[in-house]
Amino acid sequence: MSALDYQQTFKSLDSLLEALKPLWQLVAFECDHLPWQQTFPCLAQTVWQLDDAELDNLDADQHKLVQALLPSLISDIKQSDNPNADELIERLSLLVITLPTSSITAEATDQEQAGLAHFSAHIKGRKWQQITAFAEQINPQYQTTLTPLPILEWCAGKGHLGRLVAKQQQVSVTSLEWQASLCEQGQAFATQWQLPQRFMCADAFAPLNPNESIFYPQQHAIALHACGDLHVRLLNLATKANTQAISISPCCYHLIQDSHYQPLSAQAKASQIKLSRHDLQLPLQQSVIASPKQQALRLQEVAWRLGFDCLQRQIRGIDAYLPVPTIKQSQLNGSFADFCVWAANYKQLVLSKDIDFDAFLQRGITRQRLTKRIDLVAHLFRRALEMWLLLDRVCFLQQHGYEVSLSEFCPNSVTPRNAFIQAIKTET
């Protein structure tokens, strides 16, 4: 996509998400019926006809999900009194928008792999795959407009990515990390292998010390899965410093300091869409990586939470959802009654001795079937919303004089957060 394409795609996505906001901007746990059933009756009928096993299979595959629900959604839009129905239907293709994959296909030789064995010894498989794939994208030999630049690795942890880049490119790397213990471990690795990598122990959110610069014009800032405000902070500081190159893969959009999302680009600031932290979790709601055991535990936890919700509404006499904090996985090894007692104590509710916990558990399981269907429809828009967020970042960088590309740096099976934004400064 060209610069204009990015901006036009954002505009189309914004229009689509705004028009169909009732389907995705909601909290399923708070609902005791399909809240959009009257407006989208065909869609409602379709999701209730799905059995739970089929629903789970669809939810794991965005393309299959769209194929299954799109005809009903289109039918409802056609029967509505929306004067822009045809235009809206055309924009539904954005529900499965795809990004170009990397053109870099070189694979490490056996000798190179052996030389990197010590780098990956303590890194789990998928994480190491992510690191190596990301490192390939930032190799200067694929950036014909750049000479090799010193690297700033943002939110580095132990500096696994920076260490690999330092070795492969023989370029100096500054790895910024706020946890001193991780800095010490990372520096020990770099020293042991005589790599040009140094660690800076600092808080990414702390005010910049005017006597110690972090960002420079002649620099390449990189961040693999810096969460929420952390990668936004990087973008703000790097663009202010006119940093020559920026390469990031955003992650965990909901981890923000404000209660609602703060748009970056002029286009997003002009949007009518206002995103809560809950809304920002939508792109992350995909179970590609979760194991069957993890999925089963999640289903159990949801049923228990909804069963307790039915109970607390009866006790309080208030028909409203009451949030319960995160629980330890070990609590799921107990009974539903134990969970209810714990949750009631936490919320300072008094439970009578004659409660039929089995009945409330069954109500929770029934409500879970409802919430799964509400979530399934919302998940139609998880890709579109993530693209909206990614393009907000792309447009922001373009507005600061960068030539920007948006692609995928690895397969979805390695990580669903596989978007790669690369920006090269072209204007001062």
Side-chain angles (χ1 to χ4, degrees):
M1 284 186 275
S2 67
L4 185 59
D5 288 333
Y6 287 135
Q7 294 166 22
Q8 183 57 49
T9 301
F10 179 89
K11 182 179 179 181
S12 297
L13 279 166
D14 188 66
S15 176
L16 172 69
L17 289 168
E18 173 65 26
L20 297 178
K21 197 160 51 176
L23 292 176
W24 63 267
Q25 197 167 42
L26 75 176
V27 180
F29 264 46
E30 297 178 353
C31 303
D32 58 8
H33 66 283
L34 289 179
W36 36 259
Q37 182 159 347
Q38 290 188 338
T39 310
F40 299 92
C42 295
L43 187 59
Q45 182 179 12
T46 297
V47 296
W48 278 120
Q49 288 175 342
L50 296 171
D51 63 43
D52 289 349
E54 185 179 7
L55 184 146
D56 290 337
N57 290 333
L58 292 176
D59 199 25
D61 188 315
Q62 190 68 17
H63 287 273
K64 289 182 179 178
L65 174 60
V66 172
Q67 288 177 354
L69 301 188
L70 196 58
S72 300
L73 179 56
I74 290 175
S75 179
D76 285 326
I77 293 173
K78 286 181 177 179
Q79 296 175 31
S80 70
D81 56 2
N82 188 333
N84 301 314
D86 291 340
E87 188 176 355
L88 179 57
I89 290 172
E90 185 177 341
R91 286 177 177 158
L92 289 173
S93 62
L94 295 172
L95 295 176
V96 287
I97 189 170
T98 57
L99 294 176
T101 55
S102 167
S103 59
I104 304 169
T105 58
E107 295 182 359
T109 64
D110 291 341
Q111 184 177 0
E112 290 172 331
Q113 289 284 17
L116 296 175
H118 57 277
F119 276 40
S120 60
H122 304 291
I123 309 173
K124 292 183 179 180
R126 283 199 181 98
K127 187 63 179 177
W128 179 242
Q129 288 177 270
Q130 294 166 28
I131 290 170
T132 53
F134 190 95
E136 282 186 341
Q137 305 301 300
I138 62 173
N139 194 322
Q141 69 178 335
Y142 299 106
Q143 300 169 13
T144 56
T145 60
L146 289 179
T147 55
L149 294 167
I151 299 288
L152 172 63
E153 182 189 15
W154 189 250
C155 302
K158 295 180 184 179
H160 296 311
L161 172 63
R163 188 160 66 253
L164 180 59
V165 173
K167 178 177 176 62
Q168 289 182 328
Q169 301 183 13
Q170 288 300 301
V171 63
S172 65
V173 175
T174 299
S175 297
L176 184 140
E177 169 57 43
W178 75 276
Q179 294 189 61
S181 62
L182 299 184
C183 291
E184 291 169 2
Q185 294 176 63
Q187 192 64 67
F189 271 118
T191 301
Q192 177 183 358
W193 299 104
Q194 299 181 324
L195 295 172
Q197 179 185 26
R198 73 178 182 93
F199 278 76
M200 179 181 293
C201 189
D203 183 354
F205 291 121
L208 293 181
N209 186 337
N211 297 320
E212 184 179 13
S213 298
I214 298 177
F215 290 85
Y216 302 91
Q218 291 303 307
Q219 188 181 55
H220 190 162
I222 66 174
L224 171 58
H225 293 163
C227 295
D229 277 346
L230 286 170
H231 72 259
V232 172
R233 172 78 165 160
L234 165 62
L235 294 179
N236 282 320
L237 293 177
T239 53
K240 186 175 181 180
N242 291 317
T243 298
Q244 182 67 40
I246 304 168
S247 299
I248 67 168
S249 178
C251 184
C252 300
Y253 304 96
H254 63 293
L255 296 181
I256 58 176
Q257 295 173 315
D258 293 301
S259 62
H260 285 73
Y261 179 69
Q262 303 300 306
L264 299 174
S265 65
Q267 289 90 337
K269 288 178 180 177
S271 172
Q272 296 300 307
I273 295 173
K274 308 301 177 189
L275 300 171
S276 68
R277 291 174 184 169
H278 175 80
D279 297 330
L280 293 169
Q281 292 184 58
L282 179 59
L284 311 179
Q285 294 174 5
Q286 190 170 8
S287 57
V288 170
I289 302 300
S291 67
K293 180 180 178 181
Q294 289 172 323
Q295 292 183 40
L297 288 172
R298 176 58 181 160
L299 290 174
Q300 178 185 340
E301 180 181 348
V302 171
W304 283 17
R305 286 178 176 275
L306 290 170
F308 174 76
D309 184 57
C310 294
L311 174 59
Q312 67 82 17
R313 290 180 193 230
Q314 179 173 301
I315 293 173
R316 294 195 302 148
I318 301 174
D319 191 20
Y321 180 69
L322 185 66
V324 174
T326 303
I327 66 172
K328 298 178 181 178
Q329 184 173 315
S330 59
Q331 288 178 263
L332 296 173
N333 294 329
S335 67
F336 172 65
D338 292 336
F339 171 77
C340 289
V341 170
W342 169 82
N345 288 338
Y346 190 91
K347 291 297 182 178
Q348 298 182 328
L349 300 178
V350 178
L351 299 181
S352 63
K353 295 181 180 180
D354 59 348
I355 294 174
D356 186 347
F357 288 105
D358 288 340
F360 281 104
L361 177 57
Q362 289 305 312
R363 290 174 65 180
I365 293 172
T366 299
R367 270 190 62 192
Q368 183 186 48
R369 296 190 71 244
L370 169 69
T371 58
K372 285 179 70 172
R373 282 152 181 79
I374 294 173
D375 282 336
L376 185 72
V377 172
H379 291 173
L380 276 173
F381 302 89
R382 59 190 168 195
R383 181 63 173 172
L385 181 57
E386 181 162 23
M387 285 301 304
W388 188 98
L389 292 164
L390 289 168
L391 290 174
D392 180 27
R393 287 145 179 75
V394 169
C395 292
F396 171 78
L397 287 164
Q398 289 177 333
Q399 288 161 19
H400 283 80
Y402 286 82
E403 180 181 333
V404 190
S405 64
L406 177 60
S407 61
E408 293 182 353
F409 73 94
C410 69
N412 184 269
S413 58
V414 175
T415 172
R417 305 282 76 74
N418 61 352
F420 181 78
I421 298 174
Q422 180 139 277
I424 300 173
K425 187 72 174 178
T426 57
E427 300 175 14
T428 57

